[in-house]
C-alpha cells in the first residue's frame, strides 16, 4: 500500500480543484480509450489484460474527488474522454451537466451486485442508468489487534472510552466522522438536522479528548501503520487490507451501530468518440476478473461491488467478503446536508479541532 497516493480521494477535493485552475488537458488519440480515474484504475495488473484483449491503449488521467474531475472535464473538449470514475452519490451532478450517456441495464451485470450498492437512487435518473457501482467500502474503525481489546471495536463507544485516551487518530474530514458520531448516539445520517448538532458535537469533543492527533489522511494512516496510534477513526478495509501482509495485526470493524458507506461508480461520457470500447471497458471492470483486480489494486483495496468477483480465498478473508451482507445492513450513507447545514457542520468540526 502506497500511502502517498491515497490522500484526498474520499475526503474532499478542494485543494485538488484549486490546483487545476488555469490548467488545460489534452488526452491521447481517440483510437485509444481515454479514462478519468482514481488511482486504483492505473494499476497495470488491471489495465493490461483489457488492453491486450482489445489491442488498444487505455490512457488514464488520475484525479482526486468529483470536483477535481469535473474541473478537468470543463477544461477539455467534447469527446476528449470516454469513461469516468465518480462517487456514486455524484452521478446526478454529471447528468445535470449533460455529461453522461445512459447505460443499458441488459448489457451490465447489475443483478450480480450486492443489492445495497446498486444505489439506483443515485445511479439512475428519470428511469435511465447513468452509472454502475464498481467498488465500495466503509469509513469505520481501523485498529491494531495486538494493542486493543478487539471486542471493544464492535461498538463506536470505544472511541470515547477513556481507556483509549491518547491512542487514537482521527481523519480531519468532517462528513464521515460526523456520520460516525451521529450513529454512535443512534441517529441516521440521512436524517440529520441542525437540532442534532449539539449532541453530535458532544461526541466529537469526547473523541477529540482521546485523540493523539486529528490530521490528514496520509499522516493518520501512517500513524496506525507505524504503531504511533492503535485506533484510526474513519479507517476501514481500504486502509488495512492492502498492508495486511506487511502488518497482519491491522484490521477493521463495522460496529453494531454501523459505519459510513462509500462507493464509486463508472460512467460513460455522452460525447465519447469510442462508445463501443467504453462499454467493453465498463463490462470488463464489472466482470468477475476485473472486479477482483480492481478490488486488490496496488493503490488501495476495497470491496468489489459484484458478488461474483473472482477473489482468492485469502483475498476474501482479508476483505471480509462473506461478512458483507451483515456489514451492509448496518451501514449508512454519507451525510448529505443542505448548503446551510453543511456550513454549520463545518463550524462544529472547527470547534472540535480547536477544543483543548
Amino acid at each position: 500500500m502506497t500511502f502517498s497516493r491515497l490522500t484526498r480521494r474520499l475526503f474532499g477535493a478542494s485543494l485538488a480543484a484549486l490546483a487545476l485552475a488555469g490548467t488545460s488537458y489534452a488526452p491521447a488519440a481517440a483510437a485509444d480509450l481515454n479514462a478519468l480515474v482514481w488511482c486504483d484504475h492505473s494499476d497495470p495488473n488491471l489495465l493490461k489484460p483489457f488492453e491486450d484483449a482489445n489491442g488498444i491503449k487505455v490512457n488514464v488521467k488520475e484525479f482526486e474527488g468529483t470536483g477535481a474531475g469535473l474541473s478537468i472535464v470543463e477544461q477539455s473538449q467534447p469527446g476528449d474522454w470516454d469513461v469516468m470514475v465518480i462517487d456514486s452519490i455524484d452521478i446526478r451532478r454529471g447528468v445535470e451537466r449533460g455529461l453522461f450517456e445512459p447505460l443499458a441495464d441488459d448489457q451490465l451485470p447489475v443483478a450480480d451486485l450486492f443489492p445495497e450498492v446498486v444505489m439506483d437512487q443515485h445511479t439512475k435518473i428519470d428511469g435511465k442508468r447513468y452509472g454502475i457501482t464498481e467498488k465500495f467500502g466503509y469509513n469505520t474503525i481501523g485498529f491494531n489487534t495486538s494493542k486493543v481489546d478487539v471486542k471493544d471495536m464492535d461498538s463506536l463507544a470505544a472511541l470515547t472510552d477513556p481507556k483509549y485516551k491518547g491512542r487514537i487518530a482521527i481523519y480531519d474530514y468532517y462528513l464521515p466522522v460526523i456520520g460516525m458520531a451521529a450513529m454512535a448516539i443512534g441517529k441516521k445520517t440521512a436524517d440529520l438536522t441542525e437540532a442534532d448538532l449539539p449532541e453530535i458535537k458532544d461526541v466529537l469533543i469526547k473523541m477529540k479528548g482521546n485523540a493523539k492527533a486529528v490530521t490528514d489522511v496520509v499522516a493518520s494512516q501512517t500513524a496506525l501503520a507505524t504503531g504511533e496510534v492503535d485506533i484510526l477513526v474513519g479507517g476501514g478495509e481500504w486502509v488495512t487490507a492492502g498492508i495486511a501482509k506487511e502488518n497482519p495485526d491491522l484490521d477493521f470493524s463495522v460496529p453494531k451501530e454501523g459505519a459510513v458507506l462509500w462507493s464509486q461508480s463508472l460512467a460513460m461520457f455522452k460525447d465519447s468518440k469510442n462508445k463501443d470500447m467504453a462499454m467493453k471497458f465498463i463490462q470488463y471492470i464489472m466482470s468477475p476478473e476485473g472486479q477482483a483486480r480492481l478490488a486488490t489494486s496496488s493503490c488501495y483495496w476495497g470491496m468489489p461491488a459484484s458478488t461474483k468477483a473472482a477473489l482468492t480465498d485469502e483475498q476474501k478473508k482479508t476483505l471480509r467478503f462473506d461478512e458483507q451482507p451483515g456489514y451492509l445492513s448496518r451501514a449508512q450513507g454519507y451525510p448529505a446536508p443542505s448548503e446551510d447545514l453543511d456550513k454549520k457542520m463545518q463550524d462544529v468540526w472547527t470547534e472540535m479541532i480547536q477544543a483543548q
Side-chain angles (χ1 to χ4, degrees):
M1 181 72 170
T2 304
F3 289 115
S4 61
R5 298 191 68 195
L6 182 57
T7 53
R8 297 180 299 273
R9 209 271 302 153
L10 292 174
F11 305 93
S14 58
L15 293 178
L18 288 172
L20 290 167
T23 304
S24 60
Y25 292 90
D32 295 335
L33 192 73
N34 300 312
L36 287 174
V37 299
W38 295 342
C39 64
D40 55 338
H41 290 68
S42 297
D43 190 336
N45 185 55
L46 173 68
L47 297 180
K48 193 173 187 302
F50 179 80
E51 293 174 326
D52 291 347
N54 292 279
I56 67 162
K57 174 69 175 176
V58 179
N59 305 300
V60 296
K61 172 68 181 177
E62 292 183 17
F63 67 93
E64 298 170 340
T66 298
L70 294 178
S71 293
I72 294 174
V73 175
E74 289 171 0
Q75 297 169 54
S76 304
Q77 296 299 313
D80 278 353
W81 304 104
D82 300 301
V83 294
M84 182 179 189
V85 179
I86 187 170
D87 285 292
S88 299
I89 61 173
D90 288 330
I91 290 289
R92 185 175 294 275
R93 291 176 64 182
V95 174
E96 289 173 348
R97 287 165 170 77
L99 297 179
F100 298 145
E101 176 82 2
L103 304 174
D105 274 357
D106 61 4
Q107 296 183 43
L108 298 168
V110 178
D112 294 342
L113 273 58
F114 287 94
E116 295 87 350
V117 301
V118 174
M119 301 180 74
D120 280 349
Q121 71 273 30
H122 299 296
T123 58
K124 294 184 80 171
I125 291 92
D126 296 331
K128 296 179 180 180
R129 179 173 305 285
Y130 289 90
I132 183 166
T133 304
E134 55 169 13
K135 191 173 180 178
F136 70 95
Y138 310 94
N139 291 112
T140 182
I141 304 175
F143 57 91
N144 188 318
T145 59
S146 68
K147 301 289 186 64
V148 303
D149 185 336
V150 175
K151 292 182 179 180
D152 288 348
M153 302 299 107
D154 289 334
S155 174
L156 291 169
L159 305 180
T160 55
D161 189 329
K163 72 189 287 186
Y164 294 112
K165 185 176 179 61
R167 300 167 61 185
I168 291 175
I170 302 174
Y171 279 136
D172 188 8
Y173 185 58
Y174 66 105
L175 281 178
V177 181
I178 282 179
M180 292 176 67
M183 286 186 285
I185 50 178
K187 297 183 182 296
K188 300 292 186 183
T189 59
D191 300 331
L192 297 180
T193 69
E194 184 178 353
D196 297 313
L197 295 183
E199 289 181 86
I200 291 172
K201 178 182 172 182
D202 287 344
V203 177
L204 292 174
I205 294 295
K206 291 177 181 177
M207 284 187 192
K208 172 67 181 306
N210 276 354
K212 185 171 186 178
V214 182
T215 187
D216 63 82
V217 175
V218 175
S220 54
Q221 288 176 340
T222 303
L224 179 66
T226 60
E228 184 180 350
V229 299
D230 303 328
I231 297 171
L232 176 54
V233 179
E237 76 299 318
W238 52 278
V239 172
T240 62
I243 51 176
K245 288 185 178 179
E246 290 77 15
N247 191 343
D249 290 331
L250 298 186
D251 205 346
F252 73 97
S253 67
V254 175
K256 62 183 181 181
E257 299 92 347
V260 178
L261 177 71
W262 60 264
S263 68
Q264 59 191 64
S265 287
L266 272 172
M268 181 195 302
F269 283 101
K270 179 181 66 177
D271 295 325
S272 167
K273 298 174 183 176
N274 206 352
K275 289 182 182 177
D276 288 344
M277 192 58 67
M279 176 55 78
K280 283 186 178 181
F281 182 75
I282 294 172
Q283 291 170 332
Y284 162 68
I285 294 294
M286 299 309 302
S287 71
E289 295 74 22
Q291 283 284 279
R293 293 174 185 134
L294 178 65
T296 58
S297 168
S298 58
C299 183
Y300 63 92
W301 285 36
M303 270 298 301
S306 175
T307 61
K308 296 184 178 179
L311 296 166
T312 67
D313 289 343
E314 182 179 358
Q315 290 168 340
K316 285 185 175 182
K317 182 179 179 181
T318 300
L319 287 167
R320 308 279 189 79
F321 189 87
D322 294 336
E323 298 180 57
Q324 293 305 310
Y327 290 169
L328 285 165
S329 70
R330 302 196 297 277
Q332 299 182 37
Y334 266 52
S338 65
E339 184 176 350
D340 182 62
L341 181 57
D342 184 78
K343 183 179 184 303
K344 290 181 169 62
M345 285 182 172
Q346 293 186 53
D347 290 341
V348 166
W349 187 257
T350 300
E351 290 180 50
M352 181 272 283
I353 295 292
Q354 295 175 345
Q356 298 299 317

